[in-house]
């Protein structure tokens, strides 16, 4: 949860008082950033300064609003709690009882869901092999789709007897990648060639073009054909263009955090220097 302070709240930090005590401003960073404001000598008479006070007030409010805007733009955005909870909801809810698909990413149409149910229900009835499909928007607890697919299999079917003839297909939409895992009987029935082809062709190639429905259903048909001993229907070929990462590097994140610190620090200095300079200028004229 994030707390955004209104400009008039921040401006209270910059309002001169007879004495300033230590104040702490907490940000949603791994370590709170504390700003310590020491008492300024000979500052008691500042309250009597009344030369154009409205101008000073406008400056302070403007700087406060600018600080909030820059903080929102430069501060690193934390992963949303809903995505984190959603990832574990898939694990905790267990396998779907009738649909054969957990579309947590919300990318599959009703037609695709219906076609998957018909295809996979018939396959399970005839071959006694069950395949479940899972879509998630992004992963936060595991490095890639393969680790998460293994975790789903172990959580849904904790014993070898339960998971022997079960298969799990995972598609991560934000990373444009997928994975296939399963018990010994499932792996043996499909074969390594088709398993590798689904992971390297059907899931990632179509996901890059955001054709998620086609990616899922073509993978299901290809796996079912292999289990039935039918010819491989094939899949889309990878494009030559290199895929670019959707995530910022550690260096980029650190650079943006440094920029944020410099900008906010500069604004805090200006907010105190300008009123003090005006005060001293006023005093020197007397």
């Amino acid at each position: 949860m994030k707390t955004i302070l209104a400009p008039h709240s921040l401006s209270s930090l910059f309002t001169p008082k007879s004495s300033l005590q230590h104040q702490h401003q907490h940000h949603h960073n791994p370590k709170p950033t504390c700003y310590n404001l020491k008492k300024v000598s000979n500052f008691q008479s500042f309250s009597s300064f009344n030369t154009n006070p409205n101008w000073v007030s406008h400056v302070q409010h403007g700087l406060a609003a600018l600080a909030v805007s820059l903080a929102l733009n430069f501060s690193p955005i934390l992963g949303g709690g809903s995505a984190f909870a959603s990832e574990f909801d898939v694990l905790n809810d267990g396998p779907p009882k009738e649909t054969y698909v957990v579309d947590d990413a919300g990318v599959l149409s009703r037609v695709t869901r219906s076609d998957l149910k018909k295809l996979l229900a018939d396959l399970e009835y005839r071959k006694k092999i069950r395949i479940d499909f899972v879509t998630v928007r992004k992963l936060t607890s595991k490095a890639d789709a393969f680790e998460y697919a293994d975790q789903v299999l172990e959580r849904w079917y904790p014993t070898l007897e339960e998971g022997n003839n079960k298969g799990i297909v995972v598609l991560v939409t934000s990373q444009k990648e997928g994975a296939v895992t399963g018990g010994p009987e499932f792996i043996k029935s499909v074969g390594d060639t088709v398993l590798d082809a689904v992971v390297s062709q059907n899931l990632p190639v179509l996901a890059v073009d955001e054709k998620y429905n086609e990616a899922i259903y073509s993978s299901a048909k290809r796996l079912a054909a292999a289990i039935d001993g039918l010819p491989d229907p094939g899949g889309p070929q990878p494009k030559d263009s290199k895929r670019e990462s959707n995530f910022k590097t550690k260096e980029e994140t650190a650079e943006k955090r440094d920029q944020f610190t410099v900008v906010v620090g500069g604004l805090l200095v200006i907010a105190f220097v300008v009123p003090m300079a005006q005060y001293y200028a006023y005093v020197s004229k007397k």
Side-chain angles (χ1 to χ4, degrees):
M1 179 180 294
K2 297 183 181 178
T3 302
I4 300 178
L5 298 179
H8 68 270
S9 299
L10 282 180
S11 65
S12 63
L13 291 175
F14 307 141
T15 303
K17 295 182 180 179
S18 60
S19 64
L20 298 179
Q21 297 179 348
H22 296 290
Q23 298 181 3
H24 299 281
Q25 181 177 1
H26 297 283
H27 297 272
H28 290 285
N29 288 328
K31 294 182 180 179
T33 302
C34 300
Y35 298 97
N36 296 324
L37 308 179
K38 295 183 178 180
K39 181 184 293 184
V40 181
S41 60
N42 300 326
F43 208 62
Q44 288 79 3
S45 61
F46 186 79
S47 59
S48 63
F49 175 56
N50 58 3
T51 301
N52 199 7
N54 291 333
W55 184 88
V56 176
S57 177
H58 289 321
V59 170
Q60 292 171 347
H61 279 76
L63 289 173
L66 182 59
V68 172
S69 176
L70 290 172
L72 292 176
N73 287 316
F74 283 93
S75 60
I77 300 175
L78 301 178
S82 60
F84 186 78
S86 171
E87 180 182 339
F88 284 92
D89 285 342
V90 172
L91 295 172
N92 296 330
D93 290 345
K97 296 181 179 180
E98 297 180 357
T99 61
Y100 298 90
V101 59
V102 178
D103 183 25
D104 187 73
V107 295
L108 301 182
S109 67
R110 183 178 300 180
V111 174
T112 299
R113 289 169 171 268
S114 177
D115 291 342
L116 279 174
K117 180 178 180 180
K118 293 177 182 178
L119 176 66
L120 299 177
D122 177 70
L123 180 68
E124 184 178 17
Y125 176 77
R126 293 185 295 102
K127 297 294 184 178
K128 308 304 179 185
I129 294 178
R130 179 187 175 95
I131 306 176
D132 293 306
F133 283 77
V134 177
T135 71
V136 292
R137 190 174 65 85
K138 68 177 181 178
L139 298 176
T140 57
S141 65
K142 295 299 178 181
D144 54 37
F146 291 96
E147 290 187 22
Y148 185 66
D150 287 337
Q151 187 180 24
V152 172
L153 179 67
E154 294 171 2
R155 182 68 67 86
W156 286 3
Y157 308 106
T159 66
L160 178 61
E161 290 74 15
E162 289 179 298
N164 182 49
N165 61 339
K166 305 299 192 304
I168 301 293
V169 180
V170 171
L171 176 64
V172 185
T173 59
S174 64
Q175 297 171 226
K176 314 299 183 187
E177 68 175 8
V180 181
T181 189
E185 183 63 27
F186 170 78
I187 299 297
K188 179 181 177 181
S189 300
V190 176
D192 293 337
T193 301
V194 174
L195 289 173
D196 292 339
V198 169
V199 171
S200 61
Q201 296 175 3
N202 297 74
L203 294 174
V205 173
L206 294 171
V208 167
D209 295 330
E210 297 187 355
K211 297 179 179 179
Y212 303 120
N213 288 276
E214 186 178 351
I216 292 296
Y217 191 63
S218 65
S219 299
K221 290 194 298 182
R222 199 166 188 178
L223 293 172
I227 295 173
D228 282 329
L230 300 175
D232 183 15
Q237 296 302 315
K239 297 180 180 179
D240 294 335
S241 59
K242 184 179 179 181
R243 290 168 54 190
E244 296 182 357
S245 174
N246 293 328
F247 301 96
K248 293 177 181 167
T249 63
K250 183 178 180 181
E251 291 76 13
E252 290 174 335
T253 303
E255 181 182 358
K256 202 160 191 179
R257 186 181 298 113
D258 293 340
Q259 292 175 352
F260 167 73
T261 303
V262 171
V263 170
V264 174
L267 290 174
L268 288 173
V269 171
I270 294 174
F272 284 97
V273 169
V274 171
M276 290 175 63
Q278 273 204 322
Y279 167 71
Y280 287 119
Y282 171 77
V283 172
S284 64
K285 289 180 180 179
K286 283 189 173 183

